[in-house]
Amino acid sequence: MKASIAISFASLCCAVIPARAATEALRLAGRTELPGYTGDFDHFEYDLPSGRLWLAAEDHGTLDLFDLKTGALRKTFRGLVDTPHGIFYLPQKKRLIVTDSGGTAMATRIIEGTAKRTLRLAAPAADAMAYDSSTGRLYIVNGGRDAKMQRTYLSAVDPVTLERLGDLPFDTDKVEAMAVERKGNRLYVNVTGRNEIAVVDKHDLKVIATWPIKEAEQNAPLAFDEEHRRLFVITRKPGKLIVLDADRGTTVASFKAPGRCDQVIWDAGNRRVYALGGEGYIGVFQQDDADRYRELLPVRTAPGAKTGILVPEMKRLFVAVSPGEARTGAAILRFDVAPPEQFYRLESAVVLRAPSPEWDYLTLDESRGYLFIGRRADGVTVYDVKTRRVVRNIANSDDANAVALVPEFDRGYSTNGDGSSTAFRLSTLETIERVKLGTDADAGIYDPVTKQIAFTMGDSQKVAFLDAKTGKPLGVLPMESKKLDGAAPDGEGHLFMALRDRNSVAKIDMAAHRLDAEWKTDGCEQPTGLAYDRADQRIFVGCRGAKPVLSVMDARSGRVISTHEIGRGNDGVVYDAAAHKVYTSNGVDANLVIYDQLDADTYRLSEATTTRPYARTMALDSKTKKVYLVTAEGTADPERKINRAVAPFYPNRYYPDTFTVLTFAPHE
């Protein structure tokens, strides 16, 4: 292997096994062709603030600069290096340190702008580097085979002052990659010529232990998971990934690795190992825990694609395709890193005993971990999602359907079926007053731009507005609909609202209390739940109809872009902007159907998880990604009116002491 640098990103190597959705571990995002290059590339370095990516074109004798975002080649530097291997960038000095084994000097180069000078080490022909951010030391392998020496040195350097702090000799002509502890005193070195790992005191540069690699020969690439104390070693004869205990040197696991692997990368965020093999694929391994690993399906690259670098801040992996002796085929591949596949599973089901278990909407206060549940006869129940206990019921909030939270004014407002709203303090949960707005009400939606709450009043065919700071009624807007359903603000002073009985979505000007537009939801009958993506200006509507779908609408024109199948009995739609996912809760089919948003107009089913019958409304914690739903045991009593518009046997009575809060959490 030729220089694995910037171990602060933790490099490591791997092997290959089929597993679920493994083809999604890395998704090809682009390719930059590099015609005219011959021989091998070696290693990368990047600087995130300036958007620069450097590559050592080892056999081409150049240092190449690419755009970190697009992958486009910005500039090729000739004459600065001869046979470059590793690159380290020091931002405070705007300095590149490049190990170089070519030319007459075979010297490591210090490059600042277009000027260069030499960094003196124990021997010529430097190769691998590792930077220790905890001490500010740079460790460089020099001497050995490229310098026609039977001894190899490990030199410690201060990259700011360029002072050489010490040298450690190894009686072998081949030393490869390193890994360094940030929270400890150990430096791990692949002593390839002796088929062992040397454990070095990184301050004193003394070998404190040696661990032989017994399973195979030519241990070269190396990476480190410091959190779980695991080393990932790639051997080349034969190609293997060996997982070692970093405290004892014992083997934990081993797999077949791709041949000609020159880079192994530890992706700490996704707990994966990527082994970049010159055979034309990346071996991908998933870490389930410190001692258990799953081999995922390999990711196709190209012959010679054996070095790369992970940019975790961008969730992107760059891979250099070396053309060997050919004059065509050189390229830079860009892969988007997909998170580990996770599916929702029931984490808890907590029964809240009460004689009347009917309910409607849920609202989560993420900062306090309080779930506000409109429980109609019982009023607003405040449920602590951490302790899984009821904190209290809001006084004077009987007949509550929903709650709107206004943290900036330390207030919450319930929507009560009799046309009133109960205002209370968020900090104390004490009731302030009960305000009469009309004769009926279903839901309340807070608009942070106009500081108003819009209350839907379907029976009265109007929307009532209230000042969120003072609780003062501000007026009403007549609506030609008796089924005013889900709504969401657009962040610019408008509110989108589903009109279930008109198969349409309304756009309301909150400041003017005016209906600005009404758009038909073509292909979507009985629109109910609604959410909004402000960045892409997309409205998501859950539609109950004979063919239940999630409708995606353009918020500028009202045009329906696409529809996607969901379960029956939808009453909740939530958009997670950070994860680019759309959640739908569907009570009749008892499922949670989730779609991935690939771009503004492209959506793909992520999962459809079973919940419980009639768990129709939900709340999402945007940080933990937990989903909260509620339900109860019920029956369709033929002596009473059944809501057949929802389902032929939709419950019209629920049993006492069966109301249940369901918590679903993602699991690998």
Side-chain angles (χ1 to χ4, degrees):
M1 168 174 164
K2 304 174 181 177
S4 171
I5 88 136
I7 294 231
S8 51
F9 309 127
S11 312
L12 75 78
C13 200
C14 65
V16 193
I17 277 188
R20 54 177 184 153
T23 53
E24 298 297 321
L26 298 170
R27 300 166 185 165
L28 185 64
R31 177 183 176 114
T32 301
E33 300 292 346
L34 300 173
Y37 282 73
T38 60
D40 283 350
F41 292 114
D42 219 330
H43 295 283
F44 287 98
E45 172 67 302
Y46 73 91
D47 177 49
L48 194 66
S50 64
R52 291 181 292 177
L53 176 72
W54 293 274
L55 174 62
E58 175 184 351
D59 292 331
H60 197 241
T62 60
L63 188 64
D64 296 307
L65 176 64
F66 297 84
D67 186 288
L68 191 59
K69 184 176 182 181
T70 66
L73 178 63
R74 286 188 185 179
K75 190 173 182 178
T76 293
F77 296 93
R78 299 181 183 276
L80 292 178
V81 291
D82 291 291
T83 307
H85 297 293
I87 310 168
F88 172 72
Y89 180 65
L90 188 66
Q92 61 265 46
K93 291 287 187 179
K94 297 182 179 179
R95 172 184 293 164
L96 285 173
I97 299 178
V98 184
T99 56
D100 193 343
S101 65
T104 56
M106 303 175 73
T108 296
R109 306 297 183 181
I110 307 298
I111 301 171
E112 297 179 17
T114 57
K116 70 173 182 178
R117 51 188 165 139
T118 298
L119 175 64
R120 296 297 176 187
L121 300 172
D127 192 339
M129 290 195 289
Y131 179 64
D132 180 9
S133 60
S134 67
T135 63
R137 285 187 171 192
L138 182 65
Y139 298 93
I140 307 175
V141 171
N142 53 99
R145 189 176 303 173
D146 287 342
K148 296 182 172 55
M149 298 172 59
Q150 292 303 310
R151 176 168 283 194
T152 307
Y153 293 87
L154 176 65
S155 297
V157 174
D158 184 325
V160 177
T161 66
L162 301 180
E163 177 187 2
R164 199 165 93 230
L165 304 173
D167 306 294
L168 172 63
F170 291 95
D171 289 326
T172 177
D173 66 347
K174 197 64 175 175
V175 173
E176 288 275 8
M178 296 166 282
V180 60
E181 288 184 338
R182 299 294 180 272
K183 299 178 181 178
N185 197 40
R186 289 183 168 192
L187 175 68
Y188 302 94
V189 182
N190 253 341
V191 186
T192 307
R194 298 175 66 89
N195 285 333
E196 63 187 24
I197 287 181
V199 184
V200 177
D201 184 307
K202 68 182 185 182
H203 294 290
D204 298 336
L205 289 184
K206 293 182 179 179
V207 176
I208 57 179
T210 55
W211 298 331
I213 303 298
K214 300 176 181 178
E215 291 85 353
E217 298 176 2
Q218 298 182 17
N219 49 304
L222 179 67
F224 183 36
D225 169 14
E226 187 166 6
E227 179 184 357
H228 298 101
R229 309 294 303 159
R230 294 294 179 261
L231 289 166
F232 305 97
V233 184
I234 294 291
T235 61
R236 292 175 176 160
K237 190 179 178 181
K240 280 193 172 185
L241 165 67
I242 302 171
V243 183
L244 298 180
D245 184 310
D247 295 318
R248 292 178 288 275
T250 54
T251 298
V252 172
S254 67
F255 300 90
K256 181 183 180 297
R260 297 166 56 208
C261 177
D262 209 15
Q263 189 92 55
V264 59
I265 296 172
W266 168 239
D267 180 355
N270 294 300
R271 294 171 59 188
R272 288 200 199 112
V273 179
Y274 308 118
L276 280 57
E279 291 180 296
Y281 70 90
I282 300 172
V284 183
F285 297 83
Q286 186 71 53
Q287 182 192 68
D288 292 325
D289 58 41
D291 295 335
R292 294 190 303 158
Y293 299 82
R294 286 180 288 117
E295 195 174 2
L296 307 183
L297 286 176
V299 175
R300 186 183 299 276
T301 54
K306 55 192 176 66
T307 59
I309 194 169
L310 176 67
V311 184
E313 300 90 342
M314 297 176 64
K315 299 180 181 178
R316 179 155 289 182
L317 176 70
F318 292 88
V319 179
V321 180
S322 295
E325 296 306 315
R327 292 184 176 272
T328 58
I332 304 299
L333 306 180
R334 305 188 304 279
F335 290 91
D336 288 333
V337 178
E341 187 179 36
Q342 295 185 319
F343 291 126
Y344 277 89
R345 294 186 62 186
L346 182 65
E347 183 177 86
S348 67
V350 178
V351 176
L352 308 185
R353 300 193 177 279
S356 178
E358 292 189 358
W359 74 94
D360 215 334
Y361 297 105
L362 315 178
T363 306
L364 180 66
D365 180 355
E366 291 188 16
S367 63
R368 295 178 173 85
Y370 287 171
L371 185 67
F372 293 86
I373 310 169
R375 294 186 63 190
R376 295 184 174 164
D378 293 330
V380 175
T381 294
V382 185
Y383 175 82
D384 189 319
V385 299
K386 297 175 183 177
T387 64
R388 297 173 183 169
R389 296 178 181 275
V390 172
V391 177
R392 71 166 60 187
N393 289 330
I394 300 295
N396 199 20
S397 66
D398 53 283
D399 206 16
N401 282 335
V403 171
L405 304 180
V406 191
E408 60 191 297
F409 301 133
D410 190 28
R411 285 194 172 212
Y413 291 88
S414 71
T415 305
N416 307 325
D418 67 353
S420 68
S421 175
T422 302
F424 59 91
R425 295 284 179 202
L426 270 180
S427 55
T428 64
L429 303 178
E430 298 291 338
T431 296
I432 299 171
E433 60 179 332
R434 185 159 175 151
V435 182
K436 191 68 172 175
L437 299 168
T439 58
D440 65 282
D442 185 42
I445 305 92
Y446 176 59
D447 174 39
V449 175
T450 62
K451 315 299 181 188
Q452 296 181 81
I453 298 176
F455 291 91
T456 58
M457 299 179 168
D459 292 347
S460 302
Q461 294 185 260
K462 65 183 179 182
V463 177
F465 302 91
L466 179 144
D467 186 306
K469 183 177 182 180
T470 65
K472 177 183 177 182
L474 298 175
V476 297
L477 169 65
M479 300 288 291
E480 293 185 7
S481 172
K482 288 190 174 183
K483 296 292 182 181
L484 307 177
D485 231 307
D490 70 349
E492 298 179 2
H494 293 88
L495 188 72
F496 297 112
M497 183 178 295
L499 309 182
R500 195 195 319 169
D501 55 345
R502 293 177 61 85
N503 291 334
S504 63
V505 167
K507 182 180 181 180
I508 297 171
D509 185 316
M510 289 288 291
H513 300 168
R514 181 183 67 227
L515 178 65
D516 277 358
E518 183 178 339
W519 301 311
K520 288 296 181 181
T521 54
D522 296 332
C524 156
E525 296 179 352
Q526 299 181 36
T528 49
L530 186 146
Y532 182 62
D533 168 15
R534 184 178 180 185
D536 293 310
Q537 295 183 286
R538 293 293 180 264
I539 308 168
F540 305 112
V541 187
C543 311
R544 286 183 180 174
K547 295 182 178 180
V549 295
L550 171 71
S551 178
V552 181
M553 301 178 69
D554 187 319
R556 295 159 294 192
S557 65
R559 178 176 63 91
V560 174
I561 294 169
S562 60
T563 58
H564 309 273
E565 187 177 7
I566 60 173
R568 293 176 298 164
N570 173 262
D571 209 8
V573 178
V574 174
Y575 175 64
D576 183 348
H580 299 285
K581 289 180 179 288
V582 187
Y583 293 72
T584 67
S585 53
N586 312 293
V588 174
D589 282 336
N591 59 23
L592 180 67
V593 180
I594 306 170
Y595 280 89
D596 286 320
Q597 181 189 53
L598 305 184
D599 58 43
D601 296 338
T602 309
Y603 298 81
R604 179 185 60 197
L605 181 66
S606 175
E607 66 174 289
T609 295
T610 57
T611 56
R612 287 191 182 178
Y614 310 113
R616 64 184 191 274
T617 54
M618 68 172 164
L620 170 72
D621 188 321
S622 64
K623 295 177 182 177
T624 66
K625 307 305 179 185
K626 292 184 179 183
V627 174
Y628 301 97
L629 306 103
V630 293
T631 189
E633 296 177 30
T635 189
D637 183 348
E639 298 300 319
R640 298 184 180 185
K641 182 180 179 180
I642 298 174
N643 188 355
R644 297 185 181 275
V646 179
F649 305 107
Y650 196 74
N652 53 21
R653 57 182 291 188
Y654 292 92
Y655 298 121
D657 299 329
T658 64
F659 183 78
T660 307
V661 179
L662 307 172
T663 302
F664 281 81
H667 291 275
E668 292 182 22

